[in-house]
Amino acid sequence: MSAVVAQTLHVFGLRSHVANNIFYFDEQIIIFPSGNHCVKYNVDQKWQKFIPGSEKSQGMLALSISPNRRYLAISETVQEKPAITIYELSSIPCRKRKVLNNFDFQVQKFISMAFSPDSKYLLAQTSPPESNLVYWLWEKQKVMAIVRIDTQNNPVYQVSFSPQDNTQVCVTGNGMFKLLRFAEGTLKQTNFQRGEPQNYLAHTWVADDKIVVGTDTGKLFLFESGDQRWETSIMVKEPTDGSKSLDVIQESESLIEFPPVSSPLPSYEQMVAASSHSQMSMPQVFAIAAYSKGFACSAGPGRVLLFEKMEEKDFYRESREIRIPVDPQSNDPSQPDKQDVLCLCFSPSEETLVASTSKNQLYSITMSLTEISKGEPAHFEYLMYPLHSAPITGLATCIRKPLIATCSLDRSIRLWNYETNTLELFKEYQEEAYSISLHPSGHFIVVGFADKLRLMNLLIDDIRSFKEYSVRGCGECSFSNGGHLFAAVNGNVIHVYTATSLENISSLKGHTGKILREISAFDVTYTAIVISHSGRMMFVGTSVGTIRAMKYPLPLQKEFNEYQAHAGPITKMLLTFDDQFLLTAAEDGCLFTWKVFDKDGRGIKREREVGFAEEVLVTKTDMEEKAQVMLELKTRVEELKMENEYQLRLKDMNYSEKIKELTDKFIQEMESLKTKNQVLRTEKEKQDVYHHEHIEDLLDKQSRELQDMECCNNQKLLLEYEKYQELQLKSQRMQEEYEKQLRDNEETKSQALEELTEFYEAKLQEKTTLLEEAQEDVRQQLREFEETKKQIEEDEDREIQDIKTKYEKKLRDEKESNLRLKGETGIMRKKFSSLQKEIEERTNDIETLKGEQMKLQGVIKSLEKDIQGLKREIQERDETIQDKEKRIYDLKKKNQELGKFKFVLDYKIKELKKQIEPRENEIRVMKEQIQEMEAELENFHKQNTQLELNITELWQKLRATDQEMRRERQKERDLEALVKRFKTDLHNCVAYIQEPRLLKEKVRGLFEKYVQRADMVEIAGLNTDLQQEYARQREHLERNLATLKKKVVKEGELHRTDYIRIMQENVSLIKEINELRRELKFTRSQVYDLEAALKLTKKVRPQEVSETEPSRDMLSTAPAARLNEQEETGRIIEMQRLEIQRLRDQIQEQEQVTGFHTLAGVRLPSLSNSEVDLEVKTN
């Protein structure tokens, strides 16, 4: 055998689609399926122990644990045959107790199981189409009863025992809720379903005869002894992403095709498929678990409700809501609304609730937290860590750190620590990742996504990309052993990049190599392979999920150890750099770590002892942010300390004051109580004296009463004694009389006895004689029997000798033939293998032919339906032909009558033509008037434009005059200021009038200061004249502008009156045109009917019909026009329509001109609307 041994250490994953996939073994240990194992996980100490599946198992289907927690039943498919394996959990390691694999009935697989309350019986439900319910005494492998639950191939979801009764069973499924009782070797149904059948998904026993059942429409039912007692509907609440629908979000298609996870249990998919016809907005109850206060049930995606029993009634009310929280590392906020809760389980002490979901996640919550959260929903927490929910496509490890990197089709990248068995980092992305590789230092990863190849940093709490390459659908990528290079695969091209400059240094296109050696895979397909760094061992992953450990170089014989690992094909395998640990990942989404040993059980020696690095990458911005946060927190802590100290001082002061008040109060109360105590003592002494005196009086009174009673009782005793003596004498006399009667009775009895003995003695003698005769007959028969027995024995001895010799000859012949047949069996085995292959091919052909047959049957059914439809159409057409023949006969009669009215209709058509001609003349006149009005409108438009130009010029002049006026005002202000300054200076000079020399200097200064500005004063005098002229001209222009405005207003009013008049005339013309259209359309319809009638008459009677006078009823019908007249009127109307459209366009142009506005609310009716109204009225 192989010298390499592998032992499972830890698993990261869950198989959620196994029925009843999680339960408690004790308060700290839970059991759940992962890969092809059942895992015992200690929640406190974080260790795992494994219960491997059966050899050549194709996956687990259902689990069940006994009520006493001693046995575990696992339903599996082993070599395409169903089997139930029962393990004893109390032994270490867990050992197989029984294997149930020989069945006397047809079965494909067992989908649900349950142990009886005393753990002696096992209930198992098979899948459709058999749908058998089997009741086992499992320790003796004895089938106690079997019954078919359903005959319509409806799925069955759950079976269970009553918690107190071994004989009572419950089964739920699509359209079925059955209670059965085991009695007299059979299972008999005890309830009858009433009302509409529901799709019952789950149930649980809440009492001895009470069951709560959940459906796919969010309804909960309480049944007691099979009768419905209570019903409620789970309300739909708005999910976390704000959407009110529970739509199923489809996953994006992969660029690389991976086969789906082979889930052998169809229950969850069957539930979803069976409930697809129901409303998607209704929550589906996939799981129910009972506990002492009530029960918990799943209520749609990401939601669990707790129901508690009402004290007054036997009903339940919703008490708490628990939700799956949003993962902060996920980029999808609606993630909790995409995973259904499939299984719920309470711990034995009911302190913890554990849930498993359809996304392969495990959650838990302590029940005390649900009681704390009042009003708001409580939230689950991860039981271990977030797990992969889709096939793992990439696996990598490094040298300097104990890290494992995985990527999956669930669009996530996860980093695991295989020393501490924890999840280090986790992040989700928008695209699927197909490959991953870790840098030997453990600080970088390269990941092949669907659209790009990304190089990323592994930070302390995040994974950040810093370089992207346009490599689409990269199926494989890897760092070099030194970490200075990395390669990525794109199709048949391998791109090689440097990890320092991040450039593409080469591309390798395809290669051809020579096969050095080939060995057989022994009935499986190898999907992954890894060779140790030492080159002495090799591990191979298979398509059935097993691992084979081999020596390297490869042996010629079948020398390897095979281990049960996964429930799907293994996708990736790796050995750590020191060959200590083996890592395997598969399509079931599970990651296993294995310890590698040699044949003696010793671990593989490391080549060198190197401690794992503890360094991590942190960005500068993160460090600065954290330092800033730390400073803020420190300042906040100091502030809080100060506040707390201040608050403590205040509280101390308040408490000291309160203590003083209380001490004073208590001192006063103590003094008052002392006084009360003294008063009570004095009262007590008085009461004691009073009670002593009262007791003495009572004792004297009692002694006197006792003496009186003794005297009375002595007299009564004397009287009673006398009565007793009298009664004793009476009893003696009665006894003597009874003795006499007894003696008489004895004498009569003795005489009767003697007579009876004589009678029965005579009878006894007769019987003894008869018995002796019968004994002699028996002796004679015994002698005859012994003689016949001797003869038969002699005959049998002779026959035995003959048969012995005969069979000895046959045995020798059979031995010879057996030797001959052994040689033939070798030949037949070879033939059998070839025939088996042919049978498989034939079965495949049969399946394809069956599919074609189903298609052809569908085609035949559709053709039969078409034939029936055609037959019905033929019958209907025959009926319509008969109806049409009758109609033709009636039309022939009508045609004869219509021919009589043709002349009158022609005459009326001529009259209508005469009436149309004057209308056309009027229309022509109106057109001329409209043209004149258009010319007037153009003139008005020109005048308006000219006036607008004049107005703009005047506005410009007005602005110029305003500016000049502002300048003149400024000059005036300047001159006034100059005069004021001169006056002040002159006033100052007057002060020196007594001193001529100083006065002269001051006057000279005034002259030098103000004489230079004399010219400006003169200019100001000239400007006053100009301003007067400007004001005069401005007044003239303003007067002209006012007159022009008045003219514009008058002309506008004239325009408006003319426009109103034109509009009124136009409206009247349009009304007349619409009436003419109606009349014309009506005449056209009449002409069409008459022409059709005339054609029928021509076919029946080609001769001309004699003219007859029409009846009075037909004279009231409107006349019809000839074809050429219709064309003329149509042309005329079309021309009128075009003319009206042209006029309307011109009027709209006039409306858009500034200064000319139409009347508000007056618009021409649209031509299309008038035509539609006309057609509606004529029809």
Side-chain angles (χ1 to χ4, degrees):
M1 292 298 289
S2 174
V4 183
V5 180
Q7 181 183 355
T8 51
L9 282 182
H10 202 86
V11 63
F12 305 95
L14 168 71
R15 293 192 60 221
S16 61
H17 297 309
V18 176
N20 195 16
N21 54 36
I22 187 165
F23 36 78
Y24 272 89
F25 175 63
D26 56 27
E27 197 63 37
Q28 288 82 29
I29 298 173
I30 61 169
I31 298 176
F32 59 90
S34 182
N36 203 18
H37 292 72
C38 274
V39 182
K40 291 173 70 176
Y41 176 69
N42 190 304
V43 179
D44 295 335
Q45 300 176 10
K46 309 297 181 185
W47 53 256
Q48 290 184 355
K49 292 182 180 178
F50 295 88
I51 305 170
S54 301
E55 189 176 355
K56 297 182 180 180
S57 172
Q58 297 173 0
M60 299 179 182
L61 303 174
L63 304 178
S64 180
I65 192 168
S66 61
N68 59 9
R69 313 284 176 182
R70 287 188 60 189
Y71 306 109
L72 173 67
I74 302 175
S75 170
E76 299 174 287
T77 303
V78 181
Q79 292 183 340
E80 298 183 356
K81 292 182 180 179
I84 296 175
T85 308
I86 299 170
Y87 291 86
E88 190 170 351
L89 297 174
S90 57
S91 62
I92 300 174
C94 300
R95 64 181 182 87
K96 290 183 181 180
R97 182 70 179 266
K98 289 289 179 183
V99 179
L100 309 175
N101 54 9
N102 294 320
F103 310 112
D104 298 332
F105 48 88
Q106 291 185 352
V107 57
Q108 291 183 358
K109 53 191 174 184
F110 294 98
I111 58 175
S112 182
M113 299 180 297
F115 277 97
S116 62
D118 58 1
S119 304
K120 291 181 179 179
Y121 298 95
L122 180 67
L123 196 67
Q125 175 66 46
T126 67
S127 62
E130 294 86 10
S131 298
N132 290 323
L133 182 66
V134 188
Y135 191 91
W136 258 303
L137 181 62
W138 62 268
E139 288 188 347
K140 296 183 179 179
Q141 298 186 4
K142 180 180 179 182
V143 176
M144 305 296 291
I146 184 170
V147 64
R148 188 168 185 179
I149 292 297
D150 184 59
T151 58
Q152 299 178 358
N153 292 337
N154 289 325
V156 181
Y157 300 133
Q158 187 180 355
V159 297
S160 64
F161 274 101
S162 169
Q164 302 295 332
D165 190 356
N166 284 350
T167 61
Q168 194 167 2
V169 173
C170 179
V171 182
T172 52
N174 188 1
M176 69 180 78
F177 169 71
K178 295 185 179 182
L179 291 173
L180 300 99
R181 186 172 289 278
F182 176 72
E184 298 177 357
T186 58
L187 286 166
K188 295 180 181 178
Q189 187 172 351
T190 59
N191 70 320
F192 298 97
Q193 291 185 352
R194 299 181 180 90
E196 294 183 0
Q198 303 278 340
N199 187 7
Y200 300 105
L201 301 181
H203 70 266
T204 187
W205 295 78
V206 293
D208 296 345
D209 55 351
K210 294 180 182 178
I211 305 173
V212 174
V213 187
T215 69
D216 63 342
T217 57
K219 290 185 177 180
L220 292 171
F221 298 95
L222 176 65
F223 292 95
E224 184 176 1
S225 301
D227 297 328
Q228 183 179 332
R229 300 296 185 193
W230 173 72
E231 176 184 354
T232 187
S233 294
I234 296 170
M235 300 300 292
V236 180
K237 294 189 178 180
E238 187 173 342
T240 56
D241 62 345
S243 62
K244 292 185 179 180
S245 63
L246 301 175
D247 295 334
V248 178
I249 308 298
Q250 295 182 351
E251 300 292 336
S252 63
E253 295 181 355
S254 303
L255 292 174
I256 298 175
E257 292 185 357
F258 287 92
V261 180
S262 59
S263 175
L265 179 67
S267 61
Y268 175 65
E269 286 79 2
Q270 286 177 355
M271 292 178 190
V272 175
S275 62
S276 63
H277 301 292
S278 64
Q279 298 179 354
M280 288 302 294
S281 61
M282 300 304 293
Q284 300 178 4
V285 182
F286 286 116
I288 307 177
Y291 70 115
S292 59
K293 294 182 180 179
F295 64 90
C297 69
S298 63
R303 189 164 165 244
V304 173
L305 295 179
L306 295 178
F307 285 83
E308 292 184 358
K309 188 175 181 181
M310 298 173 69
E311 295 179 357
E312 299 175 355
K313 302 178 181 178
D314 291 337
F315 300 153
Y316 294 84
R317 62 177 179 84
E318 181 183 339
S319 61
R320 295 286 184 275
E321 180 184 3
I322 310 171
R323 282 189 176 273
I324 293 174
V326 178
D327 198 328
Q329 298 296 329
S330 174
N331 59 1
D332 187 4
S334 63
Q335 181 194 8
D337 301 324
K338 294 179 184 177
Q339 47 183 336
D340 292 298
V341 178
L342 300 184
C343 189
L344 294 169
C345 181
F346 284 96
S347 62
S349 63
E350 297 181 355
E351 290 181 359
T352 310
L353 173 63
V354 178
S356 66
T357 68
S358 58
K359 291 288 186 180
N360 298 345
Q361 304 298 329
L362 287 173
Y363 295 96
S364 68
I365 189 170
T366 55
M367 296 303 291
S368 58
L369 290 177
T370 61
E371 295 175 359
I372 292 168
S373 61
K374 294 181 179 179
E376 296 181 358
H379 287 88
F380 280 106
E381 294 178 350
Y382 282 109
L383 181 66
M384 297 182 288
Y385 24 70
L387 303 169
H388 281 298
S389 60
I392 296 173
T393 56
L395 180 66
T397 185
C398 62
I399 297 173
R400 294 288 293 131
K401 291 185 178 183
L403 296 179
I404 307 168
T406 58
C407 62
S408 170
L409 293 181
D410 59 6
R411 302 189 184 95
S412 69
I413 295 173
R414 298 168 199 259
L415 286 172
W416 315 87
N417 191 316
Y418 61 81
E419 273 201 342
T420 59
N421 297 322
T422 55
L423 181 67
E424 295 282 338
L425 275 177
F426 155 53
K427 193 169 184 181
E428 287 190 356
Y429 295 88
Q430 295 292 336
E431 302 87 14
E432 295 172 345
Y434 301 132
S435 59
I436 193 169
S437 180
L438 260 173
H439 192 270
S441 65
H443 294 312
F444 314 103
I445 57 169
V446 61
V447 184
F449 287 96
D451 57 346
K452 289 181 181 179
L453 179 74
R454 291 183 173 91
L455 192 61
M456 300 182 178
N457 282 325
L458 297 179
L459 304 180
I460 188 170
D461 56 355
D462 195 9
I463 304 173
R464 292 185 189 173
S465 174
F466 65 92
K467 181 65 177 175
E468 294 182 351
Y469 301 93
S470 59
V471 180
R472 293 178 60 83
C474 177
E476 290 290 340
C477 62
S478 178
F479 275 100
S480 63
N481 292 328
H484 61 291
L485 300 173
F486 64 92
V489 177
N490 183 12
N492 62 347
V493 180
I494 301 174
H495 302 280
V496 181
Y497 302 89
T498 62
T500 54
S501 62
L502 307 177
E503 295 177 353
N504 186 359
I505 58 173
S506 65
S507 297
L508 309 175
K509 294 184 178 180
H511 61 88
T512 58
K514 184 180 178 181
I515 298 173
L516 298 176
R517 191 171 180 186
E518 185 177 353
I519 62 169
S520 174
F522 301 106
D523 301 330
V524 295
T525 303
Y526 290 150
T527 58
I529 189 168
V530 63
I531 300 174
S532 66
H533 297 86
S534 62
R536 295 195 299 270
M537 56 185 172
M538 183 175 72
F539 295 91
V540 181
T542 67
S543 58
V544 296
T546 59
I547 293 170
R548 292 180 177 178
M550 306 178 182
K551 289 191 294 186
Y552 191 82
L554 299 174
L556 293 173
Q557 291 82 14
K558 186 178 178 181
E559 293 183 4
F560 54 80
N561 288 331
E562 189 166 8
Y563 303 99
Q564 296 295 322
H566 295 273
I570 294 173
T571 56
K572 298 289 178 182
M573 296 179 71
L574 273 181
L575 277 165
T576 55
F577 77 100
D578 54 2
D579 294 339
Q580 289 281 315
F581 300 99
L582 172 68
L583 314 172
T584 60
E587 290 182 4
D588 58 2
C590 298
L591 171 66
F592 276 83
T593 59
W594 306 73
K595 181 71 175 174
V596 179
F597 298 94
D598 59 7
K599 64 180 180 180
D600 299 326
R602 295 183 301 228
I604 306 299
K605 291 182 179 178
R606 295 191 183 189
E607 293 180 359
R608 57 191 178 91
E609 289 289 335
V610 179
F612 288 119
E614 295 181 356
E615 296 84 6
V616 292
L617 292 180
V618 181
T619 61
K620 187 178 179 181
T621 56
D622 290 344
M623 289 294 291
E624 289 174 352
E625 287 175 0
K626 286 182 179 177
Q628 185 66 30
V629 170
M630 286 173 69
L631 287 171
E632 290 175 358
L633 291 172
K634 282 181 181 178
T635 55
R636 181 65 180 159
V637 166
E638 290 176 355
E639 289 175 359
L640 288 170
K641 281 182 180 178
M642 296 291 289
E643 287 180 3
N644 287 329
E645 288 175 358
Y646 178 68
Q647 293 292 332
L648 285 169
R649 290 195 194 98
L650 289 175
K651 285 180 180 179
D652 289 338
M653 291 170 68
N654 291 327
Y655 287 140
S656 61
E657 290 176 357
K658 286 181 180 178
I659 287 166
K660 286 179 181 178
E661 291 176 358
L662 288 171
T663 50
D664 295 337
K665 185 178 178 181
F666 282 125
I667 288 166
Q668 291 175 2
E669 287 180 357
M670 285 171 68
E671 290 176 352
S672 63
L673 286 170
K674 283 179 180 178
T675 55
K676 283 182 182 179
N677 194 6
Q678 290 177 357
V679 171
L680 289 170
R681 278 181 181 175
T682 54
E683 288 181 357
K684 180 178 177 280
E685 291 174 353
K686 290 178 182 177
Q687 290 288 332
D688 288 338
V689 173
Y690 172 75
H691 283 302
H692 281 298
E693 293 175 354
H694 187 65
I695 286 166
E696 289 176 355
D697 295 337
L698 287 172
L699 289 171
D700 294 336
K701 187 177 179 181
Q702 186 184 7
S703 61
R704 287 194 297 270
E705 288 178 354
L706 270 171
Q707 290 176 1
D708 296 337
M709 291 289 287
E710 284 178 357
C711 295
C712 293
N713 287 326
N714 288 328
Q715 293 176 359
K716 287 180 181 179
L717 281 170
L718 291 170
L719 294 171
E720 291 295 327
Y721 182 73
E722 291 175 353
K723 288 180 181 179
Y724 171 73
Q725 286 180 349
E726 291 176 356
L727 289 169
Q728 194 172 8
L729 292 171
K730 283 183 180 180
S731 66
Q732 287 177 359
R733 286 196 293 272
M734 290 289 287
Q735 190 174 1
E736 290 174 355
E737 289 176 358
Y738 282 123
E739 286 177 354
K740 287 179 182 178
Q741 288 177 3
L742 281 170
R743 283 194 291 272
D744 296 337
N745 287 329
E746 285 177 356
E747 290 176 357
T748 56
K749 184 180 177 182
S750 61
Q751 290 176 1
L753 269 170
E754 287 175 357
E755 292 174 357
L756 286 169
T757 50
E758 289 175 357
F759 175 73
Y760 282 111
E761 281 177 356
K763 274 193 173 185
L764 202 146
Q765 287 176 358
E766 291 176 0
K767 295 289 181 184
T768 50
T769 53
L770 290 170
L771 199 143
E772 287 175 357
E773 292 175 357
Q775 284 177 352
E776 288 178 358
D777 293 335
V778 168
R779 291 191 195 97
Q780 185 67 29
Q781 288 176 1
L782 283 170
R783 284 194 293 273
E784 292 175 358
F785 173 73
E786 287 176 357
E787 289 177 359
T788 53
K789 183 179 175 183
K790 287 178 183 178
Q791 293 175 0
I792 289 165
E793 285 176 353
E794 291 173 357
D795 294 336
E796 290 297 326
D797 290 335
R798 284 194 297 274
E799 287 178 2
I800 287 163
Q801 287 292 332
D802 296 335
I803 289 165
K804 188 176 179 182
T805 54
K806 181 180 175 182
Y807 279 107
E808 283 177 354
K809 289 178 182 178
K810 276 188 180 181
L811 196 142
R812 284 193 294 273
D813 296 336
E814 289 294 331
K815 283 181 180 179
E816 292 173 358
S817 63
N818 192 9
L819 292 170
R820 190 169 61 255
L821 289 169
K822 280 182 180 178
E824 291 176 359
T825 50
I827 300 163
M828 292 302 290
R829 280 177 186 170
K830 294 178 181 179
K831 288 182 180 179
F832 177 72
S833 61
S834 61
L835 287 170
Q836 198 167 7
K837 292 178 181 177
E838 289 179 1
I839 287 163
E840 289 176 355
E841 292 173 357
R842 293 288 179 272
T843 51
N844 293 326
D845 295 337
I846 288 163
E847 288 177 356
T848 54
L849 290 170
K850 281 182 180 178
E852 292 175 357
Q853 185 183 0
M854 294 295 287
K855 291 178 182 176
L856 291 170
Q857 285 178 355
V859 173
I860 289 162
K861 287 179 181 178
S862 61
L863 290 172
E864 286 177 354
K865 290 179 181 176
D866 294 339
I867 289 163
Q868 291 176 359
L870 290 169
K871 286 179 180 178
R872 285 195 295 273
E873 285 182 2
I874 289 164
Q875 291 177 359
E876 291 173 357
R877 286 184 180 180
D878 290 337
E879 292 174 358
T880 53
I881 287 164
Q882 292 175 2
D883 295 335
K884 285 182 179 179
E885 286 176 353
K886 291 179 183 177
R887 183 78 180 275
I888 288 163
Y889 178 71
D890 296 333
L891 289 170
K892 284 178 182 178
K893 287 184 179 180
K894 286 183 181 178
N895 197 5
Q896 292 174 2
E897 294 176 357
L898 290 168
K900 296 176 184 179
F901 307 130
K902 184 180 179 185
F903 177 76
V904 176
L905 293 172
D906 289 335
Y907 176 74
K908 288 198 174 183
I909 288 165
K910 289 176 183 178
E911 286 181 354
L912 284 170
K913 191 175 180 183
K914 290 176 182 179
Q915 290 177 2
I916 288 167
E917 285 177 357
R919 296 289 175 89
E920 288 178 351
N921 294 327
E922 289 178 0
I923 288 165
R924 199 175 296 111
V925 173
M926 291 294 178
K927 283 182 180 177
E928 292 174 357
Q929 289 179 0
I930 289 165
Q931 288 176 357
E932 291 174 359
M933 291 168 69
E934 283 179 355
E936 290 177 1
L937 284 170
E938 287 178 358
N939 293 327
F940 287 139
H941 180 62
K942 290 177 182 177
Q943 291 175 2
N944 285 330
T945 53
Q946 187 63 37
L947 289 169
E948 283 179 355
L949 291 171
N950 293 332
I951 289 164
T952 53
E953 289 176 359
L954 290 170
W955 273 110
Q956 288 175 359
K957 289 178 181 179
L958 188 72
R959 289 192 195 96
T961 54
D962 285 337
Q963 290 176 359
E964 289 178 359
M965 186 178 70
R966 288 192 194 96
R967 285 197 294 272
E968 292 299 325
R969 283 178 180 173
Q970 185 64 37
K971 286 179 182 179
E972 186 180 356
R973 285 195 292 271
D974 293 339
L975 288 170
E976 286 176 356
L978 184 65
V979 169
K980 283 181 182 178
R981 285 199 299 274
F982 181 74
K983 284 179 180 180
T984 55
D985 292 338
L986 185 61
H987 183 71
N988 292 330
C989 287
V990 171
Y992 299 103
I993 194 133
Q994 299 296 331
E995 297 177 0
R997 189 175 58 80
L998 292 173
L999 181 63
K1000 184 179 179 180
E1001 288 177 0
K1002 292 292 182 181
V1003 170
R1004 188 181 289 114
L1006 285 173
F1007 177 76
E1008 289 174 356
K1009 187 175 182 181
Y1010 293 105
V1011 148
Q1012 293 175 359
R1013 301 188 183 181
D1015 297 333
M1016 292 177 68
V1017 175
E1018 292 175 0
I1019 291 164
L1022 294 171
N1023 285 334
T1024 55
D1025 297 332
L1026 291 171
Q1027 285 178 0
Q1028 290 174 0
E1029 182 65 25
Y1030 174 77
R1032 187 177 60 77
Q1033 289 179 1
R1034 181 181 173 187
E1035 288 174 357
H1036 177 68
L1037 289 171
E1038 285 177 353
R1039 284 196 296 272
N1040 289 334
L1041 183 63
T1043 55
L1044 288 170
K1045 283 182 178 179
K1046 289 177 182 178
K1047 285 181 182 179
V1048 168
V1049 171
K1050 287 179 182 178
E1051 288 174 357
E1053 288 175 356
L1054 291 171
H1055 278 300
R1056 194 169 294 160
T1057 54
D1058 292 336
Y1059 184 78
I1060 291 165
R1061 180 176 56 77
I1062 292 163
M1063 289 290 291
Q1064 290 174 354
E1065 291 173 356
N1066 200 359
V1067 168
S1068 63
L1069 285 171
I1070 288 165
K1071 286 181 180 177
E1072 289 177 1
I1073 290 163
N1074 286 333
E1075 288 174 359
L1076 288 171
R1077 282 178 183 164
R1078 293 190 194 96
E1079 290 176 1
L1080 184 63
K1081 188 150 188 177
F1082 186 74
T1083 53
R1084 280 180 183 172
S1085 63
Q1086 294 293 330
V1087 168
Y1088 180 79
D1089 294 335
L1090 289 170
E1091 283 177 354
L1094 287 169
K1095 285 177 186 176
L1096 289 171
T1097 56
K1098 285 176 184 178
K1099 287 180 183 178
V1100 178
R1101 295 171 62 189
Q1103 295 84 8
E1104 291 183 354
V1105 181
S1106 60
E1107 294 182 0
T1108 57
E1109 291 181 0
S1111 62
R1112 291 180 181 177
D1113 296 333
M1114 297 303 294
L1115 285 172
S1116 62
T1117 60
R1122 292 187 180 89
L1123 186 61
N1124 54 0
E1125 292 175 353
Q1126 289 177 6
E1127 290 176 354
E1128 288 178 2
T1129 54
R1131 281 199 299 276
I1132 291 163
I1133 288 165
E1134 188 65 30
M1135 290 168 67
Q1136 290 173 356
R1137 186 184 299 160
L1138 294 170
E1139 189 66 26
I1140 290 164
Q1141 187 66 36
R1142 187 178 65 78
L1143 290 170
R1144 189 181 284 120
D1145 294 337
Q1146 289 181 359
I1147 289 164
Q1148 287 178 357
E1149 289 176 359
Q1150 291 295 328
E1151 287 175 357
Q1152 292 174 359
V1153 175
T1154 59
F1156 182 78
H1157 301 285
T1158 61
L1159 284 172
V1162 179
R1163 288 185 63 84
L1164 290 172
S1166 64
L1167 197 63
S1168 60
N1169 291 335
S1170 63
E1171 289 177 2
V1172 172
D1173 296 336
L1174 179 63
E1175 290 175 2
V1176 171
K1177 288 177 182 177
T1178 54
N1179 292 329

